[in-house]
Amino acid sequence: MAANPAPYQSAQADSAVSVSGLTAAYDGAPVLDNVSFELGAGQWHTVIGPNGSGKTTLLTILAGSLTPVRGDVKLFGGDPEACRRRSEVAYMPQHENLEWDFPISVWDTVMTGRYGHMRRDALWRRFLPARLSADRHREICARALAEVRMDHLARRPIGQLSGGQKKRVLLARMLTQEAPLVLLDEPLVGLDKDSRRLILDVLRRQRERGQTIVMVTHDLVNTMKYADQVLLLNRSVIDIGPPAEMLRDDMLTRTAAPNWLTQTPAADEEDA
Ligand SMILES: Nc1ncnc2c1ncn2[C@@H]1O[C@H](COP(=O)(O)OP(=O)(O)OP(=O)(O)O)[C@@H](O)[C@H]1O
Ligand SMILES: [Mg+2]
């Protein structure tokens, strides 16, 4: 079956993410130190590092929710804020702070992914009947729900979903954003084998359509299977390259080794 036309060709740059000299801190405590790397457009990149190594912090900066202390970020070779305003970046956070008890249906939740596009539709409405414009958003929403196999639960309140179903709803919402760059923070955690497979297959199809995927995960097996490139991170970049080279034991040991930035004052005192 033919894939949907790629909506991601607009991002023509070779590089999707370019980070240089990035330093981040919370309340003065350093978390990322002089991080520099480049992620090619249209590829699947996995970020791997131990707990507390700064993976979520990095994604939050790319998503624009945290300002770094220093350093430069470019998305598709340009200003990240302009990219975000054009809805070119979608973010699926590790701990989604959606209010799951809020009385809103699966359908309406997924539809919120279209809001960025709807804002820009306002100009079009002068030329198009409003119904046609709304139909387009509904079609995209229905397609995303079908893709994650949640179409039969479209009318259900989100508070009545299982954990795995919630993740699929968030993935569908991300699909409706049609962003050329997607950032996913541990999207596979807590899922059974079938649900993991479903999410990975959806992402693989998106990548085939030209979307750039940046996924944080601790899942080495699926990284080996799906990723084009692996970024090993522990407060600074340990290395970046193809999965077969990055997931060797020696590389993983280097990545997991305590970093000077992770040492607590107590540990320092003991060493003294
Ligand atoms: N809002 C915050 N305020 C203060 N410190 C924070 C905050 N968020 C994260 N940190 C600290 O920054 C460091 C990096 O955290 P981060 O969440 O980026 O790690 P991570 O690699 O995503 O870890 P995990 O694999 O556990 O999700 C940790 O030491 C964490 O305690
Ligand atoms: Mg994290």
Side-chain angles (χ1 to χ4, degrees):
M1 196 174 73
N4 291 323
Y8 310 113
Q9 305 297 331
S10 58
Q12 293 291 349
D14 291 339
S15 158
V17 179
S18 172
V19 165
S20 112
L22 192 73
T23 295
Y26 295 105
D27 303 321
V31 172
L32 293 173
D33 179 51
N34 199 22
V35 167
S36 301
F37 61 84
E38 187 113 5
L39 305 180
Q43 294 187 328
W44 184 324
H45 307 273
T46 294
V47 183
I48 288 182
N51 292 138
S53 58
K55 304 179 300 297
T56 294
T57 303
L58 175 64
L59 251 54
T60 322
I61 291 171
L62 298 182
S65 326
L66 181 73
T67 308
V69 176
R70 260 191 309 283
D72 187 45
V73 175
K74 284 199 170 60
L75 300 181
F76 298 110
D79 174 26
E81 200 40 56
C83 280
R84 291 178 204 118
R85 272 200 304 276
R86 291 192 299 266
S87 307
E88 290 179 2
V89 187
Y91 177 42
M92 186 168 154
Q94 183 174 12
H95 305 291
E96 175 60 45
N97 48 10
L98 205 68
E99 281 184 53
W100 292 103
D101 290 337
F102 194 73
I104 181 174
S105 68
V106 165
W107 174 271
D108 289 339
T109 304
V110 174
M111 197 57 128
T112 60
R114 295 302 301 166
Y115 284 178
H117 295 273
M118 284 176 192
R119 268 204 313 274
R120 285 203 307 282
D121 271 357
L123 282 173
W124 287 75
R125 291 228 167 115
R126 282 181 242 160
F127 308 105
L128 272 181
R131 187 187 53 79
L132 282 186
S133 154
D135 277 355
R136 186 173 137 257
H137 296 301
R138 276 198 288 269
E139 265 168 37
I140 290 168
C141 189
R143 203 163 56 216
L145 276 172
E147 196 146 14
V148 302
R149 295 197 216 130
M150 286 292 289
D151 36 345
H152 62 297
L153 295 177
R155 294 287 151 215
R156 184 176 283 194
I158 53 170
Q160 295 176 16
L161 299 176
S162 73
Q165 289 168 340
K166 284 176 182 167
K167 288 238 176 198
R168 283 196 256 160
V169 168
L170 295 177
L171 185 68
R173 187 178 68 169
M174 210 188 68
L175 290 175
T176 65
Q177 290 180 255
E178 295 188 322
L181 171 64
V182 297
L183 312 168
L184 303 109
D185 200 347
E186 304 205 23
L188 309 174
V189 165
L191 299 182
D192 64 25
K193 199 164 165 244
D194 286 348
S195 294
R196 279 203 306 273
R197 182 68 197 266
L198 184 139
I199 288 190
L200 288 164
D201 284 346
V202 167
L203 292 175
R204 174 143 68 187
R205 284 197 292 277
Q206 290 301 107
R207 185 209 166 284
E208 281 164 7
R209 292 170 196 163
Q211 201 167 36
T212 307
I213 293 164
V214 181
M215 183 172 98
V216 168
T217 186
H218 294 280
D219 184 337
L220 304 184
V221 173
N222 281 313
T223 294
M224 192 62 117
K225 216 163 138 192
Y226 290 85
D228 300 301
Q229 181 106 321
V230 175
L231 171 68
L232 299 176
L233 184 77
N234 191 350
R235 311 287 174 125
S236 51
V237 174
I238 306 299
D239 210 339
I240 183 165
E245 288 174 29
M246 295 300 107
L247 300 185
R248 290 194 330 241
D249 282 352
D250 58 327
M251 297 303 288
L252 295 173
T253 306
R254 259 179 68 199
T255 307
N259 184 300
W260 66 271
L261 281 167
T262 64
Q263 288 178 356
T264 61
D268 289 339
E269 280 157 23
E270 271 171 32
D271 287 345

